[in-house]
Every structure is written in C-alpha cells, then in structure tokens.
C-alpha cells in the first residue's frame, strides 16, 4: 500500500509493514525529551505508576531552558528534582542551565536523525520533523508511560502536503512563509494532520529555515511538521550524529495525502497580529504600529542565521530610545558563533540587551515580560493574550529582519525602509 513519510515512519516504529491514517498503533520511541517546566510533572507521574527505572536512559534527553537561571524558588526546586532524577536514572544526555533551548539542542547535538520517532513534553517538538523524523509533543503523563516502557500509542495522522514554489523576495524568510500558510489555514485548519513541506522553495532552504516551518506546524493544529530528508539533511546529520538513520519519502498516490499549492512569488513580509497566530497581515497593512519591546530569539528564530539577518540591519545604527530590545541566542553554540563573528558587539552597540540562551519572554514566565498596555514585536511562535506577560499587552510576530528594522524606528518597519 502507498504511504506518506509519516505513515512509513510510524509503521516501522510499530513493527508493521504498513499502517493507514486513522489506525491506532503502539510505537517504539527513539528519543524522549523533557525540559524543566514539564519534566517534574512527568517524573511525578512516573513514580505514581510504580516505575523505578526508565526503559533506556540512552534514549532520554533532559534539558533546562524555560526558566534558566532559576527565576523563583519553585523553579529552583524543579531543577533540583530533575537533577536528582537524571543522576538516579543514569541519564547522560542532560543539558543544564548553560546549554540552550531544547528544540535547538536536540538537532545541534545529534539527537535527531531521519526516520526516528521523537516525543517531547513541549508542543513545539514538531520542529524536529525538519530532519525527516516524526516528532510531536506529548503531555507529562504520556511521558511517564514513555519513560517506563519506551512505547506510546498514536492515531496515525492524515497528511497535508504543502507544495511551496517560487523565489521569495528580498527580506522574505521561512517565518513569513509559514505565517502566510497559517493565516490561510487558520489555527485549526490542520488539526491532527501531519504537515509535510515540499517544493522547490523548501528544497532551496537551509536547515535552519526548514526548522522554522516545522516548528510552527502546531500553530495550525498539526500533529507534526515534516520534510523529506535530502542531501542537505544528511550533511547536517552526519556532522553531528553517529546514529543510524532511515530516509523515507511520501508516495504521491498515498490515500491519506492532500496537497495544497503555495506560491510565494511576490509575498511580502508577514506579521501575525494580536491575539492569534492566524491573524496574519502583510507588513504593508500594519507598518507604523508603535512598539515598546523587540524580542529576537526563541526556538523559532534564535539561530545564527537569524542573528546574522538582524545584525546586518543593525550594524552602525542605534535602536530607538522609545523601545527596549532583547536578543537571546537559541544555544551556547549559537551564542559563541555570534560572539566570534562580532554580532554580539553590533547588538550591544545598537543598544540591545543580550541574554543567556533560554526561552526568554516567549512563554511569559521569565525575563522580559510585558506590562499592561505594552506592545511587543517578537520572533517567537505564539502571541495569545497574556503570552508574554500582562493580559493587557499585545504581541506581534515577525522575522528577525523585520524585528531589527522595527527596533531602529520604534515601530513596525519593512527592512527595505532602513
């Protein structure tokens, strides 16, 4: 039977020759990830079901990224719980407060390879499908089962294949393309679907841009985002991992496959406006909106390519006195590259604050929170009411280039106008 890439990966994980959309399967998990915000709940549930030892410590990755360094006694207590668990269980792939954001660290450190099934206690785990894996977020109690057994049940999802064609204009990035798609689909337009990205535009993207597409699949309800592995994927993976991998591709006549054509020719930078990610408008409709804070970072746009895009615009300039700007590299490796390339100096000279690798204000639980009536322009992935602080604040989403240009003007600005 013809199958999609997601069906093929899940069939392999279930030990079956074939599966079809809607089927319930029990899949073997290749990588299980949990972080400091959700990990303690998973550990509590793991103990409640009577488990004493994890099924395979070599397949578990634990990271601290949401509240690092600890910003409260409660956060510090959660860190203690997880450090103790890691030590007790012999989990070697533990990244403490110094390393960075989970969805940057997993691919960066070689934990993700094509053909794997990856679960994490974070909704943006779908990011890792950019390397040809089936990756999805799960709840803390589901993670308890995974920790104990190495297995989890899934309903095999149908697939929407977004075939993206066209040469993007200057200052149009993967972030703009995925925001445009979400704006068309709506926040529930791909509910429990595998969102597969293909086409010449995707083929021409680097790995960082592909990670952006898959990262935001969840924002239209997707079960996962996924891209077939190619020569770029293999080059990236081989540089970072010695794990065996399986390259799988979608059969074009797979019964569960729906294809949507996306043409990005002529697309201008896109802005997600308050208070939903699917409230997307071209920048020409919102340019001039005054802002109080700019945040460049997160698991969506905190990579070295994003920092280079921003630094290119900010070099030799100063940010507006009316705004504050936070730059948060996605990982220690990204931070070091930015330091060595002189990007950090550009940001500091421009008047930005450069913070340690972490999730920052993205989740509204750490540094850089917004007060009542304040407006943020952020390169992160969500802008729900109260997401970055006060429920009376507003969050707009954009690319790093738009964020940098807007920091200079103190209002939403197209980079071509700098």
């Amino acid at each position: 039977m013809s199958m999609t890439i997601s069906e093929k990966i899940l069939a392999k994980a279930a030990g079956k020759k074939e599966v079809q959309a809607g089927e319930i399967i029990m899949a073997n998990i290749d990588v299980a990830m949990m972080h400091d915000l959700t990990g303690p709940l998973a550990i509590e549930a793991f103990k409640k079901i009577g488990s004493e030892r994890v099924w395979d410590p070599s397949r578990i990755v634990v990271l601290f990224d949401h509240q690092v360094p600890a910003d409260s006694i409660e956060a510090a207590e959660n860190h203690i719980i997880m450090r103790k668990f890691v030590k007790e269980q012999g989990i070697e792939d533990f990244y403490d407060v110094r390393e960075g954001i989970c969805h940057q660290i997993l691919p960066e450190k070689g934990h993700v390879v094509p053909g794997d099934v990856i679960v994490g206690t974070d909704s943006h785990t779908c990011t890792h499908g950019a390397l040809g894996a089936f990756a999805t977020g799960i709840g803390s109690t589901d993670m308890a089962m995974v920790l104990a057994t190495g297995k989890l049940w899934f309903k095999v999802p149908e697939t929407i294949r977004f075939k993206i064609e066209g040469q993007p204009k200057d200052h149009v990035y993967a972030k703009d393309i995925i925001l445009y798609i979400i704006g068309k689909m709506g926040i529930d337009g791909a509910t429990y679907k595998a969102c597969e990205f293909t086409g010449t535009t995707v083929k021409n993207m680097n790995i960082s841009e592909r990670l952006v597409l898959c990262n935001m699949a969840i924002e239209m309800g997707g079960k996962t985002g996924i891209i077939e592995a190619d020569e770029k994927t293999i080059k990236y993976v081989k540089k970072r991992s010695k794990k065996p991998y399986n390259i799988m591709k979608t059969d074009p006549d797979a019964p569960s496959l729906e294809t949507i054509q996306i043409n990005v020719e002529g697309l201008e930078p896109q802005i997600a406006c308050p208070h939903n990610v699917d409230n997307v408008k071209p920048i020409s409709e919102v340019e001039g909106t005054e802002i109080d804070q700019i945040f460049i970072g997160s698991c969506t746009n905190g990579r070295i390519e994003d920092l280079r895009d921003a630094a290119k615009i900010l070099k030799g300039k100063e940010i507006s006195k009316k705004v504050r700007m936070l730059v948060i590299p996605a990982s220690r490796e990204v931070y070091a590259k930015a330091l060595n390339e002189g990007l950090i100096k550009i940001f500091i000279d421009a008047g930005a604050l450069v913070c340690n690798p972490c999730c920052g204000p993205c989740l509204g639980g750490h540094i850089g929170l917004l007060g009542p009536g304040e407006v943020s322009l952020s390169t992160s992935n969500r802008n729900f009411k109260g997401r970055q602080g006060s429920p009376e604040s507003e969050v707009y989403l954009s690319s790093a280039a738009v964020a940098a240009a807007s920091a200079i003007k103190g209002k939403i600005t197209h980079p071509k106008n700098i």
Side-chain angles (χ1 to χ4, degrees):
M1 185 178 78
S2 297
M3 292 186 288
T4 66
I5 179 175
S6 295
E7 290 167 344
K8 289 179 180 180
I9 293 173
L10 290 175
K12 176 181 73 71
K16 305 179 75 170
K17 284 188 176 180
E18 58 186 43
V19 298
Q20 57 185 347
E23 183 178 345
I24 303 297
I25 62 161
M26 185 66 74
N28 292 308
I29 304 303
D30 295 295
V31 178
M33 180 278 295
M34 56 184 180
H35 56 60
D36 54 308
L37 204 61
T38 53
L41 292 174
I43 293 168
E44 181 182 354
F46 174 79
K47 292 178 178 178
K48 276 186 177 180
I49 61 176
S51 297
E52 295 182 0
R53 304 298 301 175
V54 298
W55 102 100
D56 186 348
S58 71
R59 294 181 182 270
I60 299 169
V61 183
V62 176
L63 312 97
F64 292 172
D65 61 359
H66 276 60
Q67 292 174 289
V68 298
D71 61 340
S72 66
I73 294 173
E74 183 182 9
E77 289 171 344
N78 285 339
H79 292 181
I80 291 169
I81 290 169
M82 295 191 70
R83 289 189 185 107
K84 182 180 178 182
F85 184 77
V86 163
K87 186 175 181 180
E88 288 174 348
Q89 299 294 330
I91 298 169
E92 294 186 2
D93 292 317
F94 169 51
Y95 301 96
D96 211 312
V97 296
R98 68 184 67 82
E99 208 65 49
I101 304 174
C102 57
H103 304 312
Q104 177 66 15
I105 297 304
L106 256 66
E108 193 179 88
K109 300 297 185 183
H111 297 293
V112 182
V113 298
D116 272 2
V117 173
I118 298 170
V119 295
T121 52
D122 187 280
S123 59
H124 292 104
T125 303
C126 52
T127 304
H128 310 297
L131 296 180
F134 185 91
T136 192
I138 62 173
S140 294
T141 50
D142 284 333
M143 181 57 76
M145 177 179 172
V146 173
L147 293 174
T149 68
K151 300 178 184 294
L152 190 63
W153 70 270
F154 293 93
K155 183 174 80 169
V156 179
E158 296 176 329
T159 294
I160 299 177
R161 173 182 261 193
F162 296 96
K163 189 175 183 182
I164 308 172
E165 303 288 347
Q167 176 62 43
K169 295 165 65 175
D170 287 346
H171 309 303
V172 173
Y173 304 87
K175 180 64 164 289
D176 301 294
I177 293 171
I178 191 61
L179 286 178
Y180 176 75
I181 291 172
I182 293 167
K184 295 296 183 185
M185 296 295 295
I187 57 173
D188 56 359
T191 298
Y192 210 89
K193 302 288 181 69
C195 299
E196 182 181 337
F197 302 100
T198 185
T200 55
T201 308
V202 177
K203 186 175 180 62
N204 292 333
M205 287 180 178
N206 59 39
I207 297 299
S208 288
E209 292 174 303
R210 296 177 186 185
L211 289 164
V212 173
L213 293 182
C214 291
N215 175 269
M216 295 193 69
I218 184 64
E219 306 310 334
M220 50 183 162
K223 179 66 173 176
T224 190
I226 195 164
I227 297 171
E228 292 178 352
D230 61 9
E231 63 280 357
K232 291 181 182 177
T233 315
I234 301 310
K235 182 179 179 181
Y236 181 94
V237 168
K238 282 187 172 180
K239 185 179 178 182
R240 293 164 173 80
S241 180
K242 294 181 180 179
K243 293 169 60 177
Y245 55 84
N246 293 278
I247 296 178
M248 302 181 191
K249 296 184 181 297
T250 290
D251 298 321
D253 58 344
S256 72
L257 183 64
E258 174 191 357
T259 300
I260 296 177
Q261 304 284 342
I262 303 290
N263 192 325
V264 298
E265 292 279 356
L267 188 71
E268 59 180 291
Q270 304 289 296
I271 307 293
C273 304
H275 291 284
N276 283 303
V277 186
D278 64 347
N279 184 18
V280 178
K281 298 178 182 179
I283 194 170
S284 57
E285 293 186 17
V286 294
E287 192 161 13
T289 302
E290 294 196 351
I291 48 183
D292 299 290
Q293 177 168 290
I294 296 90
F295 166 41
I296 295 179
S298 83
C299 60
T300 314
N301 287 117
R303 299 181 179 87
I304 190 64
E305 292 83 357
D306 303 300
L307 302 190
R308 288 168 182 157
D309 292 336
K312 191 183 300 182
I313 292 168
L314 286 166
K315 187 173 183 179
K317 300 179 178 66
E318 291 186 7
I319 66 173
S320 168
K321 301 294 185 186
K322 297 184 293 183
V323 302
R324 56 194 184 269
M325 180 180 188
L326 304 181
V327 178
I328 306 182
S331 72
R332 187 159 61 111
E333 181 178 307
V334 172
Y335 196 117
K337 284 182 179 178
L339 189 63
N340 292 335
E341 293 179 19
L343 308 185
I344 301 297
K345 186 177 188 313
I346 291 172
F347 297 138
I348 292 172
D349 288 348
L353 296 172
V354 181
C355 306
N356 63 289
C358 66
C359 295
C362 176
L363 71 152
H366 202 11
I367 54 176
L369 303 188
L370 302 173
E374 291 194 309
V375 178
S376 168
L377 181 63
S378 173
T379 67
S380 55
N381 44 44
R382 285 184 177 154
N383 63 344
F384 308 139
K385 184 174 286 192
R387 173 72 182 182
Q388 292 187 15
S390 170
E392 296 172 41
S393 63
E394 294 183 338
V395 178
Y396 292 79
L397 305 178
S398 77
S399 70
V402 168
S406 303
I408 295 168
K409 294 288 189 178
K411 53 190 176 183
I412 296 178
T413 302
H414 195 304
K416 72 178 182 180
N417 294 325
I418 296 296

